[in-house]
Amino acid sequence: MPSGLVALLDDVALIARTAAASVDDVAAAAGKAGTKTAGVIIDDAAVTPRYVTGLDPSRELPIIGKITLGSLKNKLIFLLPAALLLSEFAPFLIIPILMLGGGFLAFEATEKIIEAITGDHHGEATLAATDTPEELEKRQVSGAVRTDFILSAEIMAITLNELTAGGMVDNIWMRAGALAIVAVAVTVIVYGSVAIIVKLDDIGLHLAKRENGFARKFGRALIAFVPKLLKALSIIGTAAMLWVGGSILLHGFHELHVLGFLYEWNHDAAVAVAGDNGVGVWIMETLGAALTGLVFGFIIVQVVTRLFGHHPLHGGGEPVKDTH
């Protein structure tokens, strides 16, 4: 009995070590894959605050909470099972789907640049004026969750491609675990950041009313800082989308052997400019990828404009009615 018990404990210890190693592998895979989604994450954080603009400040956090739940549902209930099925039964579709997402990112970023240059903001989401704040809030949440679905799909596709590339994660359950970790982590980071951002001006306003002189100055500075932060996030997000979208397109063309010379040209040009400097090569390749995203994004904008007349995910109608 004692020897049998020792053997059993050894087996349990082995299983525990194996499980721990698997958890480490899943966490490592999730971390590596998650870093590739940075561009989409930044844009998501930059875009979301507009969905609470013009609404009662007391409803800002509840609305963000509803959007967060909708985002988790998008990722965990719809996109994660779809990603697993895709990786098991149709892995050859991962690259084309990823490229569609890359094209969408390039399109979104290019459209923002065109609107900034021309001053024509027809692509912005507008909602019909409603009679009740409840209906307006419902429309805002619905629009945000719909936009989130597209960005979440791209995040999951990027993650799945990283997990399956080179057999990084072969086990479907480990793949599911890594996808779930990325999905939850990205959602918490994005909407936690958004919650802080939309409340910074309220915090600044509260501090500006304090008797302490330093608190008042800091509060006024915070109020002035928030619009600049949102503008900076928008610019960074747009640049990141061009870079990520262009990179996805270049690598996709290379993998599919369609317009593969674009990938080679980008790399050769980077080496020609930066030489043996690894950081310099990366910077030049990044600029080349962003330029690629801009070119393809412009082409897609022209096609979409002629087919739909406006962004297909944005509604028409009158601007949102100010509820204040």
Side-chain angles (χ1 to χ4, degrees), residues 106 241-251 266 283-296:
M241 287 173 75
L242 281 179
W243 163 45
V244 174
S247 295
I248 290 172
L249 290 173
L250 286 174
H251 283 87
N266 187 50
I283 291 174
M284 295 309 301
E285 285 185 333
T286 298
L287 292 175
L291 180 60
T292 301
L294 183 63
V295 171
F296 280 92

Side-chain angles (χ1 to χ4, degrees), residues 193-216:
S193 301
V194 169
I196 294 172
I197 290 171
V198 300
K199 282 301 177 184
L200 280 179
D201 52 353
D202 290 341
I203 295 172
L205 185 61
H206 176 74
L207 291 175
K209 296 178 180 178
R210 299 285 294 272
E211 293 184 2
N212 183 280
F214 176 78
R216 287 201 306 271

Side-chain angles (χ1 to χ4, degrees), residues 62-80:
I63 289 172
I64 292 172
K66 290 180 180 180
I67 297 172
T68 302
L69 290 177
S71 179
L72 286 172
K73 180 189 290 186
N74 284 340
K75 294 181 180 74
L76 298 178
I77 296 179
F78 300 115
L79 295 172
L80 191 151

Side-chain angles (χ1 to χ4, degrees), residues 88-212:
E88 283 295 302
F89 301 106
F92 59 89
L93 290 177
I94 295 176
I95 294 297
I97 291 175
L98 195 59
M99 291 182 69
L100 287 175
F104 175 79
L105 293 178
F107 160 67
E108 283 274 277
T110 305
E111 187 181 48
K112 289 181 181 180
I113 293 173
I114 293 174
E115 288 174 354
I117 293 174
T118 63
D120 180 9
H121 298 281
H122 68 278
E124 290 184 353
T126 55
L127 299 172
T130 55
D131 294 329
T132 65
E134 292 77 13
E135 181 64 19
L136 178 58
E137 180 176 315
K138 183 179 179 181
R139 288 176 180 271
Q140 292 289 67
V141 171
S142 176
V145 172
R146 186 170 60 248
T147 300
D148 174 90
F149 185 88
I150 301 297
L151 296 176
S152 292
E154 184 63 5
I155 288 170
M156 298 298 273
I158 292 172
T159 304
L160 180 63
N161 184 62
E162 287 299 312
L163 294 176
T164 56
M168 182 178 177
V169 177
D170 293 325
N171 185 288
I172 187 172
W173 299 113
M174 289 181 63
R175 207 151 51 229
L179 284 168
I181 290 173
V182 171
V184 174
V186 165
T187 303
V188 170
I189 291 171
V190 168
Y191 294 106
S193 301
V194 169
I196 294 172
I197 290 171
V198 300
K199 282 301 177 184
L200 280 179
D201 52 353
D202 290 341
I203 295 172
L205 185 61
H206 176 74
L207 291 175
K209 296 178 180 178
R210 299 285 294 272
E211 293 184 2
N212 183 280

Side-chain angles (χ1 to χ4, degrees), residues 3-17:
S3 62
L5 180 59
V6 171
L8 177 60
L9 291 176
D10 284 342
D11 290 340
V12 171
L14 178 61
I15 293 172
R17 285 196 297 271

